[in-house]
Amino acid sequence: TVAVVGLGLVVNSMAAFALSRLEWKGRGVALLGILMLLIVPFEAVAVPMFYLYNDARNTLWIQIVPFIGNALSIFLFYSFFSGIPRSIDEAARLDGAGPWRIFALIIAPMSKPVYASVAILTFLTQWGAFLWPVLMVSDPNLRPLPLQISVFAGQLPPAWGQVMAFGVLLVLPVLGVFLIFQRWFIEGVASSAVKG
């Protein structure tokens, strides 16, 4: 989960920056493709992905790499970056900054609310992932917690006290991540509501 969130923030924000701030041929088609990916549920592509990645079963990479690029994250970054005035980019270019410096030193620091929102949403999605691990992970040492708790709860006789303790341990990291990013998350939601 931490790897998907960290790498996803970098990759998706850079893709959104390229879509929203840079001029290049095919940009509109790429954005349309990302918007079309938003309407495709994961369940529709899970079985083809299973056959595609079947040789990499029971690895950590199979739980990380397919989920770094995320259409929703790119769209959220794109929407936020599009709201930042382009005059800031022009002023930075006059001072000699290129696209990398503009992104790293100007746009990214101004975008803490969207980084927090995307981090929380990605963390929640990955932390609660169940279908993909069911398909790809049979090794007990590599199972994520939602899959492990379902296996644990299915053992007979059910030890409900231990299952509830397991559930609390499953919820605590999510609560911690939200509390850490709460201020920026609320700013991001409030700013998107004001923009309409």
Side-chain angles (χ1 to χ4, degrees):
T1 299
V2 171
V4 171
V5 171
L7 293 171
L9 287 176
V10 173
V11 170
N12 296 322
S13 63
M14 288 174 28
F17 177 78
L19 287 169
S20 66
R21 312 301 275 195
L22 303 178
E23 298 293 332
W24 47 280
K25 190 175 182 179
R27 184 177 70 151
V29 175
L31 181 60
L32 180 64
I34 288 169
L35 292 175
M36 289 173 60
L37 285 174
L38 285 173
I39 60 175
V40 177
F42 176 71
E43 290 78 5
V45 296
V47 174
M49 283 178 63
F50 170 77
Y51 286 111
L52 183 66
Y53 296 120
N54 196 26
D55 294 335
R57 294 185 73 212
N58 291 316
T59 63
L60 284 177
W61 293 108
I62 200 63
Q63 299 181 61
I64 297 171
V65 174
F67 302 101
I68 293 173
N70 186 314
L72 177 62
S73 299
I74 293 172
F75 179 70
L76 290 173
F77 279 119
Y78 172 82
S79 299
F80 193 88
F81 293 164
S82 296
I84 297 173
R86 287 187 177 267
S87 58
I88 295 172
D89 295 14
E90 293 167 8
R93 280 194 196 95
L94 288 175
D95 289 337
W100 289 105
R101 289 187 69 189
I102 292 171
F103 172 71
L105 300 177
I106 298 171
I107 301 297
M110 293 175 65
S111 306
K112 288 179 186 172
V114 72
Y115 275 94
S117 299
V118 170
I120 289 172
L121 293 173
T122 306
F123 185 87
L124 289 174
T125 303
Q126 286 306 117
W127 188 254
F130 187 78
L131 176 62
W132 186 246
V134 164
L135 292 173
M136 299 305 289
V137 179
S138 58
D139 183 357
N141 296 321
L142 296 174
R143 286 184 192 143
L145 290 179
L147 179 57
Q148 189 64 35
I149 196 173
S150 71
V151 171
F152 186 65
Q155 294 177 348
L156 294 176
W160 293 112
Q162 294 174 354
V163 171
M164 293 301 155
F166 204 138
V168 169
L169 291 176
L170 191 64
V171 171
L172 284 178
V174 176
L175 186 61
V177 166
F178 180 76
L179 291 175
I180 291 168
F181 292 113
Q182 175 184 7
R183 184 183 71 180
W184 295 300
F185 182 73
I186 292 170
E187 281 179 28
V189 171
S191 68
S192 65
V194 170
K195 289 177 188 174

